[in-house]
Amino acid sequence: MNKSNRRKFIGTAAAVIAVGTAASAMPLSTGKENYPVLHHVFFWLKNPDSKADRDQLVQGVKTLKKIPSIQQLHVGITADTEKRDVVDSSWGVSELLFFKDLAGQAIYQTHPIHLEFIEKYSHLWSKVVVYDIIEA
């Protein structure tokens, strides 16, 4: 190995070792957030064949994210998966909210944005089912 290649090798090796050392010193994230309270809501649309109604409700649900106690919000529509006896695809729109605690969920229930959502969009649904979950 000549001097030029040796210097290049040593320089590259030193850089790789420095990056590896810095990366190993960084804390690892578990990827799991601590939001033990979940509020899962299913909406049945009055007009289940209306994509416009569905899309309007989806947009309405997304406005709830402005409520400070909501840590995460996921909005969904029924997936076109295989039909099985255990799969209920009769609903149209779903919201899944994550809270740090029960107090945060209680704040959400009476928050003006939530009350406005109900007032503004309730004409779109015929039925609502709620599942409140606390991590076991």
Side-chain angles (χ1 to χ4, degrees):
M1 196 182 273
N2 66 34
K3 275 189 167 184
S4 175
N5 284 342
R6 184 178 294 162
R7 283 188 186 135
K8 201 183 272 186
F9 172 78
I10 291 172
T12 302
V16 169
I17 290 170
V19 169
T21 302
S24 67
M26 297 175 75
L28 295 176
S29 171
T30 62
K32 183 180 178 189
E33 304 296 342
N34 189 18
Y35 307 137
V37 178
L38 287 75
H39 179 73
H40 205 168
V41 182
F42 295 88
F43 299 93
W44 280 258
L45 296 167
K46 282 185 181 175
N47 301 308
D49 296 328
S50 172
K51 185 178 180 315
D53 284 5
R54 184 195 72 196
D55 292 348
Q56 185 180 359
L57 183 55
V58 165
Q59 288 306 318
V61 169
K62 289 180 179 180
T63 66
L64 298 173
K65 182 59 180 140
K66 297 175 190 168
I67 299 172
S69 65
I70 296 174
Q71 303 303 303
Q72 288 185 27
L73 168 90
H74 298 274
V75 184
I77 58 174
T78 51
D80 191 21
T81 55
E82 64 182 279
K83 306 303 177 214
R84 300 182 299 144
D85 290 341
V86 296
V87 176
D88 179 1
S89 57
S90 62
W91 53 275
V93 176
S94 166
E95 71 179 40
L96 178 59
L97 307 176
F98 293 78
F99 299 93
K100 287 185 178 180
D101 51 33
L102 290 172
Q105 198 271 348
I107 289 168
Y108 155 79
Q109 289 298 333
T110 58
H111 195 281
I113 293 173
H114 182 233
L115 299 177
E116 180 182 357
F117 163 77
I118 294 168
E119 184 179 321
K120 191 171 180 181
Y121 297 96
S122 64
H123 71 280
L124 295 171
W125 64 73
S126 61
K127 175 182 171 182
V128 177
V129 174
V130 177
Y131 295 96
D132 285 330
I133 303 157
I134 191 153
E135 191 174 289

